[in-house]
Amino acid sequence: MATKSAPINMRVEPSVRNIIDAAANLMKVDRTVFIQQAALSEAYEVIANQRDFMLDEAAFNAFEQALEVETKADQGMVDLLNRKSPWE
């Protein structure tokens, strides 16, 4: 079963379109394919930057140590969570 494509419409200045067209021609693809590839590549990078990160060994060890530090109870937060809700 073929998946239908979904339209994405946008308006750009003619100068922007001309630059996109020039780059698409250099890549030997049409404007739509070029824009799709560029947008998808950027989207993957944005998503990866939000969830993946790399650390060298020293930074990783410091990160692990920070995770292992015993947490202290915040008495104000404990009181808040034990308080009866106004709607109860």
Side-chain angles (χ1 to χ4, degrees), residues 1-25:
M1 169 169 44
T3 303
K4 290 179 81 173
S5 61
I8 297 177
N9 300 311
M10 69 174 98
R11 292 198 169 281
V12 298
E13 295 290 326
S15 60
V16 172
R17 186 198 59 219
N18 292 342
I19 292 169
I20 291 170
D21 286 347
N25 286 334

Side-chain angles (χ1 to χ4, degrees), residues 24-60:
N25 286 334
L26 289 170
M27 298 296 293
K28 299 193 181 346
V29 296
D30 63 31
R31 182 187 308 140
T32 299
V33 170
F34 181 83
I35 292 172
Q36 284 176 343
Q37 289 173 346
L40 191 56
S41 175
E42 184 68 16
Y44 282 135
E45 185 171 335
V46 167
I47 291 168
N49 287 338
Q50 293 298 312
R51 66 175 186 187
D52 300 333
F53 58 95
M54 305 275 289
L55 300 172
D56 62 26
E57 187 173 351
F60 180 74

